[in-house]
Amino acid sequence: MKRLPISLEFFPPKTPEGVEKLAVVRQKLYALKPEFCSVTYGAGGSTQDGTLAAVQAILAEGVDAASHFTCIGANRESVLAKIEQFKAAGIKRIVALRGDLPSGYGGFGEFRYASDLIAFIREATGHHFHIEVASYPEMHPQARSPQDDLNAYLAKVRAGANSSITQFFFNADAYFRFVDEARKVGADIPVVPGIMPITNSAGIIRFADNSGAEIPRWIRLRLQSYGDDVDSIKAFGLDVVTALCEKLIAGGVPALHLYTMNQSVAPLEICRRLGLHA
């Protein structure tokens, strides 16, 4: 049986201690033999130096790495400069995103949508980069309708995206419906489900509320009922997320992308339960 590919996502640490801690976490997670690791980018590229440093560290450790790349507020010159920096660093994967407009920014810049960024990267570099894009099984929170959201996704595919990673979700049906609808309109690139471990009740509810991801009522109520019982929250979270992954794998997903939150315990245990790690 072919092993299901795994990829991992980290965020750039803000302190030297955080850098050291993430290096230890990565070494533990490399036991999963990830296909690649991605590193996020702050609003308006606010963490870009930390992002680049983390991506270079991962590459130096012998693992493929992808930098998130947001285009909000950017212009053609700044994007070209960043692309050249990526190429010089040996980066061959990009997660191309529109990004959130940081406070104080007056406008979108020359790239209003992620599809504009993708088209520009393809025009400037051909197929040098493997470009991942975001997809939203439960609809982007700023989309006017599911159809508008699907159209925006199709535009990214047509602009040259290689594959997509979804926003996290807890309803497998939403993922499979999105994949079916995307294929019907000709967006046939792989759609990799983004998996968020549940280790903290307040944190996951805040993430979901900010991103438009739905936490099913039964999960939300159970989490709230545990109060400050961290052990019960983590045990319940492992059961819920493992069951979700089992449904996705049974339905034939191409891979799993784990949002690690710079932690190793939950991702390793989820993969152990799935038979993806000893």
Side-chain angles (χ1 to χ4, degrees):
M1 180 175 137
K2 189 176 177 224
R3 185 182 175 277
L4 188 73
I6 299 288
S7 54
L8 307 170
E9 182 169 300
F10 303 110
F11 60 84
K14 294 180 178 173
T15 64
E17 295 77 20
V19 170
E20 289 178 17
K21 182 186 168 200
L22 179 55
V24 172
V25 166
R26 283 199 306 269
Q27 289 304 321
K28 291 177 180 175
L29 287 170
Y30 287 163
L32 299 175
K33 296 182 171 55
E35 185 178 17
F36 70 94
C37 299
S38 66
V39 184
T40 63
Y41 221 50
S46 58
T47 63
Q48 58 185 272
D49 291 341
T51 298
L52 185 61
V55 169
Q56 288 177 301
I58 293 165
L59 289 171
E61 290 159 353
V63 176
D64 200 4
S67 175
H68 282 218
F69 190 10
T70 59
C71 61
I72 208 87
N75 57 45
R76 292 168 71 90
E77 290 74 22
S78 66
V79 168
L80 273 175
K82 182 55 66 175
I83 288 170
E84 289 306 316
Q85 190 178 24
F86 286 164
K87 286 171 82 171
I91 297 169
K92 292 189 175 176
R93 280 184 180 265
I94 292 173
V95 182
L97 308 162
R98 189 197 72 176
D100 298 318
L101 198 63
S103 58
Y105 264 65
F108 287 93
E110 292 182 32
F111 299 88
R112 190 173 183 89
Y113 303 109
S115 53
D116 299 331
L117 174 64
I118 296 158
F120 182 70
I121 293 171
R122 286 286 178 239
E123 179 191 325
T125 68
H127 292 280
H128 179 84
F129 292 104
H130 180 107
I131 300 178
E132 307 272 355
V133 295
S135 49
Y136 300 86
E138 295 170 326
M139 196 175 89
H140 190 286
Q142 293 172 352
R144 286 173 297 197
S145 71
Q147 188 58 50
D148 278 355
D149 193 44
L150 188 61
N151 291 343
Y153 177 68
L154 179 59
K156 292 189 283 192
V157 174
R158 286 178 171 166
N162 295 104
S163 53
S164 85
I165 299 169
T166 75
Q167 169 71 270
F168 74 90
F169 58 90
F170 297 108
N171 183 341
D173 289 343
Y175 167 85
F176 289 119
R177 174 176 276 278
F178 174 81
V179 171
D180 287 345
E181 290 178 344
R183 284 179 181 155
K184 281 176 187 171
V185 298
D188 56 359
I189 62 173
V191 180
V192 177
I195 304 299
M196 179 72 81
I198 300 174
T199 58
N200 174 304
S201 154
I204 196 71
I205 289 171
R206 184 176 68 252
F207 278 141
D209 290 345
N210 288 342
S211 63
E214 182 196 19
I215 298 181
R217 179 175 164 80
W218 71 272
I219 295 178
R220 189 181 283 255
L221 290 175
R222 186 72 65 88
L223 287 172
Q224 290 169 340
S225 76
Y226 290 131
D228 296 327
D229 184 350
V230 175
D231 289 342
S232 292
I233 290 167
K234 288 181 176 178
F236 174 68
L238 285 170
D239 289 345
V240 166
V241 176
T242 301
L244 171 65
C245 291
E246 286 171 344
K247 281 186 190 172
L248 293 168
I249 292 168
V253 295
L256 294 175
H257 183 77
L258 296 170
Y259 296 113
T260 71
M261 304 308 294
N262 291 10
Q263 304 290 326
S264 63
V265 175
L268 286 171
E269 177 60 16
I270 290 165
C271 289
R272 186 194 68 78
R273 292 184 181 196
L274 295 171
L276 302 173
H277 173 51

